[in-house]
Amino acid sequence: MWDYFGPRRTCRRRISRRDVLRIGTLGAAGLTLADLLRQRAGAGSPPDPPQSVIMIWLRGGPSHIDSFDMKPAAPAEIRGEFRPISTSVPGVSICEHMPLLASAMDRLAIIRGIRSNDLGDHTPHYIYTGFPDRGKRPGLGSIVSYLRPQRDGIPVNVSSYRSDLELATYTGQAHRAFVPDGAEIENLRPTKGLSFGRLDDRRDLLRQLDALRREIDQSGTFNALDEFNRQALDMLTSPRAREAFDLDLEPPEVHERYGEYSRSLLMARRLVEAGVSVVTLKIGDWDTHEKNFHDMREQLPQLDRGLHALIGDLYERGLDRRVAVVVWGEFGRAPRISRGDGRDHWPEAGAAVIAGGGFRVGQVIGATDAQGGESTVRPYTPANVLATLYRHLGIDPATTIPDHNQRPMHLLDDRELVRELV
């Protein structure tokens, strides 16, 4: 079994200041992981165990008409190549390429006719923040990280990918998502020769260093650094955190059950089980201006397999009320097929799938017209879904956070819940 942190070595009883400075990324003068945690602060403690959200972004915007909002009675240039199949909920049908999810429809809620931003661009800022203006608001994970402290070495906000699209903005860069791969995983690994027993000695040294007077610049960087080092050390030395990130602890048959997306979806399940509050995943490439049916025919079965495994695990492990799952893209796809067999961007209507969270599942919420182009009722927006997720997390979406100019900013302006879910 591969261990992110390498073999343990014999510890010695004392550690010198020189040793501290040789710890590499854990040097007292600069700590890469601590940089991620800088300015982390919280009000109160999270519930025990904490509520969690897994947000699955289907990057590119999948066609709702070819997945969760099919139009079999529409003309061929609208309905496309796929057929609907019945689900475990009478009267509800979804695409033939998702038979596993069809069998588990009683554990899902489908929201149809979701209206996205008018720009119709690929940035997921609206589904992350609840605001259509790009790059001006912090995302869900950053908000939760700001309002909740790190707990038992477990990070609050984790993402499967590195991106500049989800900005922490005025919550502070420490509240951007921790990405458990590449350099950031290496930053969790002690320098060769440093045992966890020696890290305990380093804790003592850091407490001694706290008493030393440090030069403080205008931003307060050095004044705050010790706290960030402590938080980084908590993550580094927490067995729960290390084990949560180690997918090798899962047997091969579990990976097989999750399929192609196992590294993301299985990691998400392990992280929320360990106590991570928000896990954001990017799965697939659904930008199907061309070869829509070819690409959907390949990707839908993998999504079907992985999402079915994830939701099944949440129920089997008693996490279905504690963990909410939302699956969506940044918009839907145009009703009329173009460019041969493609579908273009369509912000006027899309679909989202909700599971867990103690929500009322086994239902379809909302509806679109005969062509899937517009909602026939007042459409929900990403802000309404996020308001519902904040409620699940025990956070009032009317809460304010000061921006860079210390003006109070609400988490959401549109705080209406998806009423049918709660």
Side-chain angles (χ1 to χ4, degrees), residues 253-420:
E253 56 268 24
V254 174
H255 287 271
E256 177 66 20
R257 181 160 52 85
Y258 273 75
E260 181 177 338
Y261 299 136
S262 67
R263 289 204 65 82
S264 293
L265 294 172
L266 185 53
M267 175 75 77
R269 190 263 285 165
R270 292 182 61 82
L271 291 175
V272 296
E273 198 168 23
V276 174
S277 294
V278 178
V279 180
T280 306
L281 310 178
K282 179 177 71 172
I283 287 182
D285 186 353
W286 307 83
D287 192 13
T288 54
H289 294 282
E290 299 174 349
K291 299 182 178 179
N292 175 75
F293 300 101
H294 172 274
D295 291 351
M296 295 285 281
R297 191 177 283 108
E298 287 191 347
Q299 294 189 94
L300 283 176
Q302 294 297 335
L303 180 65
D304 181 54
R305 183 177 178 179
L307 190 56
H308 180 266
L310 172 65
I311 294 170
D313 271 2
L314 295 181
Y315 273 85
E316 289 176 12
R317 294 166 180 264
L319 300 172
D320 53 290
R321 300 191 67 83
R322 182 163 75 80
V323 180
V325 180
V326 57
V327 185
W328 51 1
E330 56 269 38
F331 40 63
R333 286 278 154 178
R336 185 170 296 276
I337 299 168
S338 61
R339 309 190 197 193
D341 64 347
R343 295 192 191 269
D344 290 327
H345 300 179
W346 196 257
E348 284 81 0
V353 176
I354 306 291
F359 295 134
R360 295 176 181 172
V361 292
Q363 63 169 325
V364 171
I365 300 168
T368 56
D369 60 21
Q371 297 187 344
E374 294 183 359
S375 178
T376 58
V377 296
R378 181 185 176 190
Y380 285 119
T381 70
N384 304 132
V385 176
L386 290 175
T388 309
L389 295 177
Y390 277 124
R391 180 183 185 272
H392 163 71
L393 291 166
I395 295 174
D396 183 353
T399 300
T400 61
I401 289 178
D403 69 4
H404 296 299
N405 296 316
Q406 299 304 304
R407 296 174 300 183
M409 308 295 288
H410 288 104
L411 304 190
L412 294 170
D413 287 344
D414 182 0
R415 298 184 284 276
E416 180 184 356
L417 303 178
V418 179
R419 299 177 300 278
E420 296 88 343

Side-chain angles (χ1 to χ4, degrees), residues 105-349:
M105 182 63 215
D106 57 313
R107 294 178 171 180
L108 308 175
I110 299 173
I111 306 176
R112 292 174 175 167
I114 288 184
R115 199 181 197 300
S116 188
N117 67 84
D118 292 330
L119 297 176
D121 62 2
H122 279 298
T123 55
H125 52 277
Y126 203 180
I127 65 173
Y128 282 173
T129 70
F131 292 88
D133 48 345
R134 180 178 181 175
K136 297 181 180 179
R137 301 280 187 152
L140 172 71
S142 297
I143 292 288
V144 178
S145 176
Y146 180 91
L147 294 176
R148 290 182 171 177
Q150 182 178 320
R151 181 176 180 270
D152 298 333
I154 300 297
V156 176
N157 180 22
V158 176
S159 176
S160 70
Y161 65 100
R162 196 179 309 276
S163 173
D164 291 331
L165 300 180
E166 184 189 9
L167 301 178
T169 63
Y170 46 79
T171 62
Q173 289 304 302
H175 302 291
R176 294 189 66 176
F178 177 76
V179 181
D181 66 2
E184 293 188 10
I185 280 295
E186 288 302 313
N187 289 337
L188 288 176
R189 173 186 266 165
T191 297
K192 182 178 179 179
L194 179 68
S195 71
F196 288 104
R198 290 178 64 193
L199 281 176
D200 289 337
D201 289 337
R202 186 177 186 274
R203 282 181 187 273
D204 293 336
L205 178 58
L206 280 176
R207 281 193 286 268
Q208 297 174 38
L209 292 176
D210 283 343
L212 299 177
R213 181 178 181 86
R214 295 190 175 193
E215 180 180 358
I216 302 175
D217 62 11
Q218 291 183 347
S219 67
T221 299
F222 296 126
N223 184 50
L225 185 58
D226 284 337
E227 177 60 26
F228 311 141
N229 281 345
R230 283 193 292 268
Q231 293 181 37
L233 281 171
D234 284 342
M235 190 184 300
L236 175 65
T237 58
S238 166
R240 287 179 61 206
R242 297 198 305 274
E243 291 176 2
F245 288 113
D246 193 349
L247 291 180
D248 288 339
L249 295 176
E250 296 286 344
E253 56 268 24
V254 174
H255 287 271
E256 177 66 20
R257 181 160 52 85
Y258 273 75
E260 181 177 338
Y261 299 136
S262 67
R263 289 204 65 82
S264 293
L265 294 172
L266 185 53
M267 175 75 77
R269 190 263 285 165
R270 292 182 61 82
L271 291 175
V272 296
E273 198 168 23
V276 174
S277 294
V278 178
V279 180
T280 306
L281 310 178
K282 179 177 71 172
I283 287 182
D285 186 353
W286 307 83
D287 192 13
T288 54
H289 294 282
E290 299 174 349
K291 299 182 178 179
N292 175 75
F293 300 101
H294 172 274
D295 291 351
M296 295 285 281
R297 191 177 283 108
E298 287 191 347
Q299 294 189 94
L300 283 176
Q302 294 297 335
L303 180 65
D304 181 54
R305 183 177 178 179
L307 190 56
H308 180 266
L310 172 65
I311 294 170
D313 271 2
L314 295 181
Y315 273 85
E316 289 176 12
R317 294 166 180 264
L319 300 172
D320 53 290
R321 300 191 67 83
R322 182 163 75 80
V323 180
V325 180
V326 57
V327 185
W328 51 1
E330 56 269 38
F331 40 63
R333 286 278 154 178
R336 185 170 296 276
I337 299 168
S338 61
R339 309 190 197 193
D341 64 347
R343 295 192 191 269
D344 290 327
H345 300 179
W346 196 257
E348 284 81 0

